[in-house]
Amino acid sequence: MANVTIVGAGLMGTATAYPLSDNGHNVRLVGTHLDRDIIKSCREKRYHPRLRCELPPTVQPYYVDEIAEAMRDTDIIVSGVNSLGVRWIGKTIGPYLQAGQLVIAVTKGLEVTTNGELVILPDVLASELPAGIRNQVELAAIGGPCIAGELARRRQSCVVFGSRDREAAERLAAVFRTSCYHIWTTTDLLGLEYSVALKNGYTLGVGLAAGLSEKAGDSDMADVHTYNMAAAIFAQGCTEIERMLQIVGGTPFFAYGLPGVGDLFVTSQGGRTVRLGRLLGAGHSLAEARQIMAGETLEAVEIIRAMSCALPKLVEGGTLAPDELPLMRALIDIVVYNQPVRLPFDRFFKNIARA
Amino acid sequence: MANVTIVGAGLMGTATAYPLSDNGHNVRLVGTHLDRDIIKSCREKRYHPRLRCELPPTVQPYYVDEIAEAMRDTDIIVSGVNSLGVRWIGKTIGPYLQAGQLVIAVTKGLEVTTNGELVILPDVLASELPAGIRNQVELAAIGGPCIAGELARRRQSCVVFGSRDREAAERLAAVFRTSCYHIWTTTDLLGLEYSVALKNGYTLGVGLAAGLSEKAGDSDMADVHTYNMAAAIFAQGCTEIERMLQIVGGTPFFAYGLPGVGDLFVTSQGGRTVRLGRLLGAGHSLAEARQIMAGETLEAVEIIRAMSCALPKLVEGGTLAPDELPLMRALIDIVVYNQPVRLPFDRFFKNIARA
């Protein structure tokens, strides 16, 4: 049995405790400073208030100031924070890491450097680790369609574990895999991370359709939706994920597998990213939408902002033509430049004409 | 202005009348023998009872026995029947066709010959035309995510017109294209038809997830769905569409564009195919599901049945390995062989391991 330390007691981090506990592993669930109420509930009632689930039996909850104890003799660390907490987690676990440990992150996103280079989050996390340990631990990430509440309730879920080190990915998969948590492994960590990060941006795009319909006063028509528009945005998003994978040297077919289209589908079924898109489509500014959705992490905004810095660099370098990724450009106009929603459908699907 | 004759006054056939009318074309809408009530309503009230829409101004409704008149001096014929009516429509319009006319079909499906060869529906239609005219008209088809009710209400819709003849596809697109009906053209009619036919089968697969959840008694849990499972099925479906396109020499990227993933997405948002999947997932036999859904055309069943005849042939010929298309095989077991629903998740996504 392994010792696994989950840092970040939000929905997704905590949800990984369920397959781990089902496999009999010892799980230490460490809340961040934002998770105090959650840990209190977990300690007193063994109940996770956001997942609305009982904690599984082999899980021990810890406050963040008890992290030293939670990291003792651990084998695997799960980074359960969101994209804004990645540097924090690197700094926080760094002092306790030991050679041979594995770190796996549920976080989805991309960071952009000041000169417009995109960096995947496991590399951001690694950059915060002490130099002496950085190459002594393997980093990995989880991608694919997995809503936390379903995983915690043991619904069938299919995900991908990526690590540049094949053996690390396989070792991790063997620890987490259950009869309802199906895991594939890949060494294309880069492609996996780009796919699952970009899908957040494109999900916001899918959400625009319902908002535009509301704005036009169409949404009261019984049974008539804007699924045609949503589907076109969905398909263009998938096409653009594939193009970005080509550009960065990722596995193109992730676009139409679990990490791309699978994750895009699950996120498009509802939740905060679709809701944000809907608000923007209905005519709210990002500032207004942020106010309405106060307290929610809007990772789609971060990825679209990162892409707004990266695209000019890619065009400048000649890897991307100025008319490519028209949907992402439209999302940038809306989210970063506060422009009214305009979707350039006729610039989508350039590849069809070549077929 | 063109004369356009739509044969089949169901949802999708009739919906194409809206962009046509918006462009000022003369549209003759011919009901089949199944559409008598629809045509009666269209004549008396200019109201389509299934679309629940007023008929657009330039549309004239015809009963099937008036087809000679409706075909007079026409430029374009739209085949608006479902997959079971394709041979009928070939026989019906054949005698009236004239050289240079264009025939475009909204029908989605594949037929299988007695020796297991798959045939796309435009070729089935052509085979019913008199030999003298068969090569004098160009056949085309419409694919991509387009729910009829949304098209009729002028929601933004993006579709693909396919014809082996580039010029025919372009001419047709120019007649139908409006500011809300966006059209791309392709000469890969085969790839287009395979994509949109297969997505019906895979949509049934997506529907299974909700049914399995109902059966397990999970569906009463507030806000907890089986989207993870649905997403995995969705992604595997997309992967299998891409594989089939490779096998038949279609354009592989249709799988993650409008014809594949776009159409799969729109169909998965609801409607009869998802509903059928849900019933099967909940434990109903196909016979029971058919009874519950009496009167609905279940095109997913037809495509899965066609694939059940075609797969052994493909394996025999060495183009397909016996472990490929595991989701389609599972659907065949359920739909054709009345087996209980079993989804072999661990046989999905074989390609990830190779990345």
Side-chain angles (χ1 to χ4, degrees):
Chain A
M1 294 302 100
N3 295 324
V4 183
T5 306
I6 302 171
V7 185
L11 291 170
M12 200 60 229
T14 309
T16 62
Y18 291 76
L20 288 168
S21 184
D22 287 349
N23 284 341
H25 302 298
N26 301 310
V27 182
R28 296 97 176 245
L29 178 66
V30 187
T32 70
H33 49 288
L34 298 169
D35 300 332
R36 291 206 173 274
D37 290 349
I38 292 173
I39 297 300
K40 189 162 182 286
S41 168
C42 288
R43 284 227 178 151
E44 291 172 3
K45 298 182 267 185
R46 295 201 63 80
Y47 180 79
H48 194 287
R50 287 187 62 205
L51 273 177
R52 290 175 288 135
C53 269
E54 208 182 312
L55 223 54
T58 67
V59 178
Q60 291 313 314
Y62 290 81
Y63 290 106
V64 69
D65 40 351
E66 301 164 322
I67 194 162
E69 196 187 329
M71 290 285 289
R72 189 175 303 148
D73 299 323
T74 201
D75 302 296
I76 293 166
I77 298 97
V78 177
S79 164
V81 297
N82 69 35
S83 61
L84 304 173
V86 170
R87 290 186 181 276
W88 175 85
I89 210 164
K91 286 194 190 88
T92 304
I93 63 172
Y96 307 104
L97 282 183
Q98 292 177 359
Q101 291 177 334
L102 302 172
V103 179
I104 186 161
V106 301
T107 323
K108 296 176 178 186
L110 288 171
E111 238 192 52
V112 66
T113 64
T114 46
N115 66 347
E117 307 271 3
L118 294 167
V119 188
I120 61 172
L121 297 184
D123 291 346
V124 174
L125 195 161
S127 73
E128 296 289 342
L129 299 181
I133 196 72
R134 200 177 296 156
N135 299 317
Q136 308 289 312
V137 294
E138 283 299 337
L139 289 171
I142 307 179
C146 191
I147 295 172
E150 295 185 25
L151 176 58
R153 284 165 184 85
R154 298 175 181 81
R155 301 283 189 282
Q156 298 292 326
S157 304
C158 296
V159 298
V160 183
F161 280 20
S163 170
R164 293 189 181 99
D165 183 75
R166 168 77 67 193
E167 200 214 316
E170 292 295 349
R171 273 172 57 205
L172 285 162
V175 169
F176 285 77
R177 186 177 281 133
T178 70
S179 61
C180 54
Y181 193 45
H182 306 270
I183 302 170
W184 286 258
T185 60
T186 180
T187 54
D188 182 16
L189 179 64
L190 188 90
L192 179 64
E193 290 295 273
Y194 267 87
S195 301
V196 299
L198 288 168
K199 67 89 200 177
N200 267 333
Y202 291 115
T203 300
L204 186 151
V206 171
L208 292 171
L212 286 166
S213 165
E214 279 169 29
K215 195 183 175 188
D218 290 339
S219 56
D220 55 341
M221 280 191 196
D223 285 337
V224 181
H225 302 272
T226 45
Y227 293 145
N228 292 356
M229 194 200 300
I233 296 168
F234 187 95
Q236 176 65 17
C238 190
T239 301
E240 295 193 6
I241 291 173
E242 202 261 0
R243 181 68 185 116
M244 272 303 287
L245 288 172
Q246 280 178 354
I247 288 171
V248 301
T251 308
F253 68 69
F254 280 178
Y256 52 89
L258 279 181
V261 81
D263 211 341
L264 187 56
F265 180 82
V266 92
T267 320
S268 296
Q269 297 312 298
R272 60 182 186 247
T273 309
V274 168
R275 189 164 167 235
L276 174 61
R278 190 166 181 154
L279 289 169
L280 296 173
H284 291 284
S285 69
L286 179 61
E288 288 166 355
R290 267 195 199 283
Q291 225 163 8
I292 296 168
M293 297 182 68
E296 304 231 46
T297 310
L298 306 180
E299 290 185 312
V301 172
E302 305 305 322
I303 180 71
I304 293 168
R305 191 161 287 161
M307 289 297 284
S308 79
C309 302
L311 287 196
K313 184 91 184 175
L314 291 171
V315 172
E316 213 178 282
T319 20
L320 188 76
D323 64 342
E324 288 191 284
L325 310 186
L327 175 55
M328 182 53 73
R329 287 173 197 282
L331 295 173
I332 290 169
D333 284 344
I334 298 162
V335 168
V336 182
Y337 300 112
N338 275 300
Q339 298 293 304
V341 175
R342 248 195 310 266
L343 292 168
F345 294 107
D346 297 326
R347 289 165 51 208
F348 291 178
F349 309 114
K350 289 281 179 210
N351 55 358
I352 293 179
R354 295 195 298 269
Chain B
M1 292 304 101
N3 296 325
V4 183
T5 307
I6 302 171
V7 185
L11 291 172
M12 199 61 229
T14 308
T16 63
Y18 292 76
L20 288 168
S21 185
D22 287 348
N23 284 341
H25 301 299
N26 302 310
V27 181
R28 297 96 176 245
L29 178 66
V30 187
T32 70
H33 49 288
L34 298 169
D35 300 332
R36 292 208 173 271
D37 290 349
I38 292 173
I39 297 300
K40 187 162 184 282
S41 168
C42 287
R43 284 226 178 152
E44 291 173 4
K45 298 183 268 185
R46 294 200 65 77
Y47 180 79
H48 194 287
R50 287 187 62 205
L51 273 177
R52 291 176 288 135
C53 270
E54 208 181 311
L55 223 54
T58 66
V59 177
Q60 291 313 315
Y62 291 82
Y63 290 105
V64 69
D65 41 349
E66 301 165 322
I67 194 160
E69 197 188 329
M71 290 285 290
R72 189 175 303 147
D73 298 324
T74 201
D75 302 295
I76 294 167
I77 298 97
V78 177
S79 164
V81 297
N82 69 36
S83 59
L84 305 173
V86 170
R87 290 186 181 275
W88 174 85
I89 210 164
K91 287 193 191 87
T92 305
I93 64 173
Y96 307 105
L97 281 183
Q98 291 176 359
Q101 291 178 333
L102 302 172
V103 180
I104 185 161
V106 302
T107 324
K108 296 176 179 187
L110 289 170
E111 238 192 53
V112 66
T113 65
T114 45
N115 64 349
E117 307 271 3
L118 293 167
V119 188
I120 61 171
L121 297 184
D123 291 347
V124 175
L125 195 159
S127 72
E128 296 289 342
L129 299 180
I133 197 71
R134 200 177 297 156
N135 299 317
Q136 309 287 311
V137 295
E138 283 298 336
L139 290 170
I142 306 179
C146 192
I147 294 172
E150 296 186 23
L151 176 59
R153 285 164 184 88
R154 299 174 181 82
R155 303 283 190 280
Q156 299 292 325
S157 305
C158 296
V159 298
V160 183
F161 280 19
S163 170
R164 293 188 181 99
D165 183 77
R166 168 78 65 191
E167 199 214 318
E170 292 295 349
R171 272 172 58 206
L172 285 161
V175 169
F176 285 76
R177 186 176 280 135
T178 71
S179 61
C180 54
Y181 193 45
H182 306 270
I183 302 169
W184 286 259
T185 60
T186 180
T187 54
D188 182 15
L189 179 63
L190 188 90
L192 179 65
E193 290 295 272
Y194 267 86
S195 302
V196 299
L198 288 168
K199 68 89 199 179
N200 268 334
Y202 291 115
T203 299
L204 186 151
V206 171
L208 292 172
L212 286 166
S213 165
E214 277 169 32
K215 195 183 175 190
D218 291 339
S219 57
D220 55 341
M221 280 192 197
D223 285 339
V224 180
H225 302 272
T226 44
Y227 292 145
N228 292 356
M229 195 201 298
I233 295 167
F234 187 95
Q236 177 64 17
C238 190
T239 301
E240 294 192 6
I241 290 173
E242 201 262 358
R243 180 68 185 115
M244 273 303 288
L245 288 171
Q246 280 178 354
I247 288 171
V248 300
T251 308
F253 68 68
F254 280 178
Y256 52 88
L258 279 181
V261 80
D263 212 340
L264 188 56
F265 180 83
V266 91
T267 320
S268 297
Q269 297 312 299
R272 61 183 184 247
T273 309
V274 167
R275 189 165 167 234
L276 175 61
R278 191 167 180 152
L279 289 168
L280 296 173
H284 291 284
S285 69
L286 179 62
E288 288 166 354
R290 268 195 198 284
Q291 226 163 6
I292 295 168
M293 298 182 66
E296 304 232 44
T297 311
L298 306 180
E299 289 184 313
V301 172
E302 304 306 322
I303 180 71
I304 292 168
R305 191 162 286 162
M307 289 297 284
S308 80
C309 302
L311 287 196
K313 184 91 182 172
L314 290 171
V315 172
E316 212 178 282
T319 20
L320 188 75
D323 64 343
E324 288 192 285
L325 309 186
L327 174 55
M328 182 52 74
R329 287 172 198 282
L331 295 173
I332 290 168
D333 284 344
I334 298 163
V335 167
V336 181
Y337 300 112
N338 276 301
Q339 297 294 303
V341 176
R342 248 195 310 266
L343 292 168
F345 294 108
D346 297 326
R347 288 165 52 207
F348 291 179
F349 308 115
K350 289 280 180 213
N351 55 359
I352 293 181
R354 294 194 297 270

